[in-house]
Amino acid sequence: MAELLHRLGTFAARRAGTVIIAWVVILGIAVGGFLVGFKGLSSSFDIPGTASGDVIAELEEQLPDFSGASGTVVFHTTDGSAFSDAQQAEITALAESARDLPDVADVIDPFATQQQLADQRQQIEDGRTQIAAARAQAEAGQAQLDAGTAQLDAAQTQLDQGRAQAEAAGLPTTELDAQQAILDAQRAQLETEQQALADGLATIQGQEATLEQGAELISFADGIRVVSEDGATAIVNVQFTEPRLELAQTSKDAVIEHFESEPVDGVEVAFSSDISQGVPQILGVGEVVGVALAAVVLIVVLGSLLAAAFPIVTALVGVAIGAMATLAFSGVVQMASVTPILGVMLGLAVGIDYSLFVLYRHRKQLLQGADVVESIGLANGTAGNAVVFAGTTVIVALLALNITGIPFLGLMGTAGAISVAVAVLIAISLTPALLGLAKSRVLSKRARARAAAGTALSDATTPRARNRASAPMSTLRAILTVIVATVALLVVAIPAMSMRLGLPDGGSESADSTAYRAFTLTEDSFGAGVNGPLLVTATLPEGLDDDQVLNDQLLVARQLAAMDDVVAVAPIAVSDDNTLAAFQVVPAEGPNSTSTETLVRELRDLPPIADQITLGVAGQAAINIDISEALANVLPLYLLVVVGLSFLIMVMVFRSLLVPLIATAGFVLSLLATYGAVTAVFQWGWLGDLLGVHNPGPILSFLPVILVGILFGLAMDYQLFLTTGMREAWAHGAPARLAVAQGFRAGRTVVIAAALIMIAVFSGFITSESVIIKSMGLGLALGVFFDAFLVRMLLIPALMHLLGESAWWLPKWLSRVIPNVDVEGSALERRHPVHHTL
């Protein structure tokens, strides 16, 4: 590999124009592919096979009107007074005309809906009044029947007495028989009337029972309103025909444009995140500042504006190619809005770093009097070889995201891996080409003069002088360093013990965003739970009639209303075959609250109601839980695969077992510290005002997995560039502890610069208004800081010192099996010697 890279570097230096044109063509192809293939991104996340996904699939089949995406448009009077009739009429007109927008299934007029709810309650009261009147009338009729029956009984008694007297006197009873027939007819008439009255009472009782069942159902929904009690806020519900993952951004934009196109005088409008959350801006002022800070670091380290420009230029080219190539496939594969973000972050960071590693090695060789072209080839074969292996580690970690089985996460990993691969290819081809064009101008004028005069090789760079300058640390210092660094990382990791996972809601958006305004207006006017209602389905037995369905709906509603932290329950639909009923459940708190999460779990744990009715739960809170659980379940497997594969790579690179072990242990410490710091900021709210976190909540559900993949790859980069120098010194005969000091001294400058560059680039993303990008930027910046400066620069050298010669122990049988990759390029240097004393 080193020899191949040497040839590539030499070719690129001599044929710089050809290489540069080739990359320009590749960039053009990527741009062309983007222009042809880009079909937009989705702002939603989903994981197939989850409990909430099954509920949505069931709705798509039996209640398709409720399976599409939905969102809310919130209207609020600017002075806090109740809506005027004119304002209500304008809002109603906007709602009715919005039904014609693309992919819109229905738009609910809040004032008509609130009136319908009031009418339903009035109908209940009117029905009760009518039933009471009918019952009173029936009771009066019963009294009349009772009086008539009493009269007939008295007449019958008199007739019986007369018959007894007539029969005793032997008189004829013909007249008495006629009277008896009249009495019998009258009694039959009374019995008929009594039966009719009884039937009427039974009907009244049935109507009353049905009415009370309906009244009880409606009473459970008393907490649901679409117009606030003070009449100053109204919610327009927009139901889409397409599921949220398939809903086009243009359809959401059309809703926003429609309701903003005709502003209502004295009324503000805001849109929930389901509608307003679009594709976040990936590059902004913060990212530009981050790149500018990286440029400052490069100027300080390299001492030349031209040299400092090369890593920036190559990184930007790599980001453009990687991002464009990824987005070109958005018409073929459904992509979430965060898909290109990871590639841009990594493309910028590793693109600058990898180019810096090659450039830094070339610069040192020029200072020692090496020929320009030969120096470029040698730098590409040594530092470039390390770049390839470092990049491979990162790519392996990113591609391993596909084993999670989570489509959007695997796609993010693949996009990131493409960007890293492009960065590696550019570092080992375009960077040498640019260096070939620049020749010795990558050095400052003073450095070129020194190199030309032969004064660059001073006693300070000779092996003997370097040995004196790189004396091993004391064992006591090593022990104290290990203890202090470990304790510091563990203390920072403490908040991670309480880390909760979730997806951002409107409350997590920037304070000046329309989504945050809609979220707060809804919470203040209707309660926090209205921002994240649950959709509960009930699977009913087959063959039920309407009355039986109503009875089962009541059973379910009673069970739901009896749950803790349930504010309201409303039946919203029943399938045509009466086998599926849907309910809206409003929790006491928002979708990311602990109580709502507990409620979802308790609902799913409920046994079948009446032994036949089973429940399913969907909604934002349920989807958050499903995604978080799925990610938490795959994290151990992902960590095992990433660490396992990377461990094997490190065993080949370092030809040691203990060095990969302590490198991995150090990564675990830095990862836990990163988790703790992110939890303290985003969940606990520490430094929230400074970092723009105004509404603390759960940690982005896929952030822990993302951090594992990226930070492990980057950590191994720093481990590689520091430890290969240690191994090289040890392999050339230096004692193990002295080799640690020499290798650390040789690689610390470039590693510090690389870490500072990554921190600067990642920190630029913290200023993003998107909480997703902000949390990823902060997590990566902190992770690089903890790992580079506390683990790789302090902990690992101290542990290597304490291990001594045993650090490089490798069983003989394993040494014969694994290939010697010579990542430091020692064999290449022997084949292509230049005049230097590195």
Side-chain angles (χ1 to χ4, degrees):
M1 174 65 76
E3 184 64 38
L4 178 63
L5 292 174
H6 176 272
R7 294 175 182 175
L8 176 61
T10 303
F11 172 82
R14 290 172 175 166
R15 300 288 187 273
T18 302
V19 174
I20 292 173
I21 291 173
W23 278 109
V24 170
V25 171
I26 294 173
L27 177 61
I29 293 173
V31 172
F34 168 79
L35 295 176
V36 173
F38 180 67
K39 303 300 181 183
L41 302 173
S42 170
S43 60
S44 301
F45 307 95
D46 197 10
I47 297 179
T50 60
S52 55
D54 294 340
V55 171
I56 294 174
E58 191 175 32
L59 288 171
E60 288 178 347
E61 181 178 351
Q62 300 194 53
L63 291 170
D65 291 343
F66 297 91
S67 63
S70 63
T72 59
V73 183
V74 184
F75 290 91
H76 178 71
T77 56
T78 54
D79 58 2
S81 62
F83 291 105
S84 65
D85 292 340
Q87 289 170 335
Q88 290 186 24
E90 291 185 62
I91 294 172
T92 296
L94 282 171
E96 290 177 350
S97 58
R99 294 189 176 98
D100 298 328
L101 295 174
D103 295 329
V104 171
D106 195 13
V107 180
I108 308 301
D109 174 16
F111 304 107
T113 301
Q114 198 66 46
Q115 186 60 49
Q116 290 173 0
L117 293 174
D119 292 343
Q120 288 177 352
R121 293 184 176 91
Q122 187 59 48
Q123 289 173 3
I124 293 293
E125 295 302 320
D126 293 343
R128 284 172 173 164
T129 301
Q130 293 172 1
I131 287 175
R135 186 178 293 280
Q137 184 178 359
E139 291 175 351
Q142 184 64 55
Q144 293 176 355
L145 288 176
D146 291 342
T149 300
Q151 292 175 358
L152 287 177
D153 290 342
Q156 185 66 52
T157 300
Q158 292 177 358
L159 186 60
D160 291 343
Q161 291 176 352
R163 184 180 293 278
Q165 293 173 358
E167 289 176 349
L171 297 175
T173 60
T174 303
E175 183 177 352
L176 295 175
D177 291 339
Q179 293 177 358
Q180 183 64 54
I182 293 173
L183 287 177
D184 290 342
Q186 291 176 345
R187 188 175 294 280
Q189 179 64 30
L190 283 177
E191 290 177 353
T192 301
E193 293 177 358
Q194 180 65 55
Q195 184 60 47
L197 183 62
D199 292 342
L201 284 172
T203 300
I204 291 173
Q205 290 176 349
Q207 291 175 342
E208 186 176 30
T210 301
L211 182 67
E212 292 306 320
Q213 284 182 322
E216 187 177 2
L217 272 179
I218 291 178
S219 70
F220 292 138
D222 284 343
I224 298 178
R225 299 182 61 88
V226 288
V227 178
S228 61
E229 293 184 358
D230 61 4
T233 308
I235 295 178
V236 175
N237 286 285
V238 180
Q239 186 72 35
F240 295 96
T241 58
E242 301 298 322
R244 61 195 186 101
L245 283 178
E246 300 174 14
L247 182 62
Q249 183 65 38
T250 53
S251 299
K252 295 190 290 185
D253 292 340
V255 171
I256 296 175
E257 182 180 355
H258 172 80
F259 282 98
E260 288 183 339
S261 62
E262 300 180 23
V264 180
D265 187 37
V267 177
E268 65 172 309
V269 61
F271 304 89
S272 68
S273 57
D274 302 289
I275 296 176
S276 62
Q277 188 180 62
V279 178
Q281 183 181 7
I282 299 176
L283 295 176
V285 176
E287 291 74 26
V288 173
V289 172
V291 174
L293 291 175
V296 172
V297 174
L298 289 170
I299 293 172
V300 172
V301 172
L302 300 176
S304 167
L305 288 175
L306 181 62
F310 287 168
I312 302 293
V313 171
T314 54
L316 292 176
V317 171
V319 166
I321 293 174
M324 295 292 182
T326 299
L327 295 175
F329 291 93
S330 61
V332 180
V333 181
Q334 182 70 41
M335 288 187 182
S337 58
V338 297
T339 300
I341 293 173
L342 189 58
V344 171
M345 285 184 174
L346 286 175
L348 279 174
V350 303
I352 295 174
D353 277 5
Y354 290 168
S355 181
L356 169 63
F357 292 142
V358 176
L359 176 55
Y360 187 78
R361 179 65 177 253
H362 171 57
R363 178 179 174 276
K364 290 181 68 175
Q365 292 168 173
L366 288 182
L367 286 172
Q368 295 157 8
D371 175 72
V372 171
V373 174
E374 182 57 31
S375 177
I376 293 173
L378 186 60
N380 212 46
T382 52
N385 196 33
V387 163
V388 171
F389 276 93
T392 301
T393 306
V394 180
I395 292 171
V396 167
L398 291 171
L399 289 179
L401 285 171
N402 287 278
I403 69 171
T404 62
I406 300 172
F408 79 85
L409 201 57
L411 201 55
M412 284 181 67
T414 301
I418 291 173
S419 293
V420 174
V422 171
V424 171
L425 293 174
I426 284 180
I428 61 176
S429 59
L430 183 57
T431 297
L434 294 175
L435 295 178
L437 285 179
K439 299 187 183 303
S440 62
R441 289 191 299 275
V442 294
L443 300 176
S444 65
K445 291 182 178 180
R446 180 180 300 179
R448 291 200 301 269
R450 290 175 58 200
T455 59
L457 296 175
S458 65
D459 289 341
T461 59
T462 64
R464 181 176 300 175
R466 190 170 58 183
N467 289 348
R468 291 196 302 267
S470 303
M473 72 178 76
S474 67
T475 301
L476 177 61
R477 178 186 170 188
I479 294 174
L480 290 176
T481 300
V482 170
I483 294 174
V484 172
T486 302
V487 170
L489 291 168
L490 290 176
V491 169
V492 177
I494 290 175
M497 299 176 64
S498 62
M499 184 170 62
R500 292 178 55 240
L501 302 180
L503 290 175
D505 55 25
S508 302
E509 298 295 330
S510 61
D512 59 350
S513 67
T514 183
Y516 180 75
R517 182 60 177 159
F519 187 91
T520 53
L521 282 174
T522 302
E523 181 174 350
D524 294 341
S525 302
F526 303 97
V530 177
N531 277 308
L534 303 177
L535 182 61
V536 177
T537 59
T539 303
L540 308 178
E542 296 182 358
L544 300 182
D545 58 27
D546 291 342
D547 291 336
Q548 291 171 320
V549 168
L550 179 61
N551 182 68
D552 283 355
Q553 279 184 300
L554 189 56
L555 290 176
V556 174
R558 286 171 180 163
Q559 179 69 66
L560 296 176
M563 303 291 292
D564 293 336
D565 297 311
V566 170
V567 172
V569 178
I572 55 177
V574 178
S575 62
D576 293 337
D577 59 0
N578 288 344
T579 60
L580 184 69
F583 299 81
Q584 184 186 63
V585 176
V586 178
E589 296 183 292
N592 279 328
S593 66
T594 304
S595 64
T596 303
E597 180 179 338
T598 301
L599 175 61
V600 171
R601 298 185 189 280
E602 290 177 348
L603 287 172
R604 287 175 169 173
D605 291 339
L606 283 176
I609 301 174
D611 298 327
Q612 294 177 315
I613 304 173
T614 57
L615 302 182
V617 186
Q620 183 176 349
I623 292 172
N624 287 356
I625 291 173
D626 291 338
I627 292 178
S628 300
E629 286 185 345
L631 290 167
N633 290 337
V634 302
L635 183 57
L637 174 62
Y638 175 65
L639 189 59
L640 179 63
V641 170
V642 169
V643 173
L645 291 176
S646 298
F647 180 83
L648 294 177
I649 293 174
M650 284 191 293
V651 170
M652 289 191 299
V653 171
F654 302 131
R655 303 192 66 79
S656 165
L657 289 180
L658 293 181
V659 171
L661 282 176
I662 63 173
T664 303
F667 161 73
V668 172
L669 284 175
S670 63
L671 181 67
L672 292 177
T674 304
Y675 285 170
V678 169
T679 301
V681 172
F682 287 95
Q683 186 173 314
W684 291 7
W686 290 9
L687 302 177
D689 293 338
L690 178 63
L691 297 173
V693 182
H694 55 274
N695 188 20
I699 304 305
L700 184 66
S701 56
F702 54 84
L703 184 61
V705 178
I706 290 291
L707 290 179
V708 168
I710 299 175
L711 293 180
F712 188 81
L714 299 181
M716 295 309 104
D717 283 0
Y718 301 135
Q719 180 74 26
L720 182 66
F721 284 102
L722 280 175
T723 314
T724 50
M726 299 177 187
R727 175 171 178 77
E728 182 181 4
W730 177 78
H732 283 79
R737 291 178 174 175
L738 179 60
V740 170
Q742 291 178 355
F744 177 79
R745 183 177 181 275
R748 65 185 176 185
T749 301
V750 69
V751 170
I752 290 174
L756 289 176
I757 288 169
M758 282 205 174
I759 292 172
V761 172
F762 290 145
S763 296
F765 291 90
I766 299 176
T767 61
S768 172
E769 293 186 355
S770 170
V771 68
I772 295 177
I773 299 177
K774 183 189 295 290
S775 60
M776 289 176 64
L778 180 64
L780 291 172
L782 289 174
V784 170
F785 172 78
F786 291 139
D787 198 88
F789 292 103
L790 294 184
V791 174
R792 306 303 150 189
M793 305 291 289
L794 293 177
L795 184 59
I796 295 301
L799 287 173
M800 296 276 292
H801 175 88
L802 294 175
L803 288 174
E805 296 288 339
S806 61
W808 306 110
W809 174 77
L810 184 69
K812 292 183 179 180
W813 64 268
L814 186 58
S815 178
R816 292 191 297 267
V817 172
I818 62 174
N820 187 359
V821 296
D822 187 24
V823 71
E824 62 269 19
S826 299
L828 180 68
E829 288 182 299
R830 290 192 296 269
R831 290 193 299 270
H832 302 277
V834 294
H835 298 291
H836 61 76
T837 56
L838 287 180

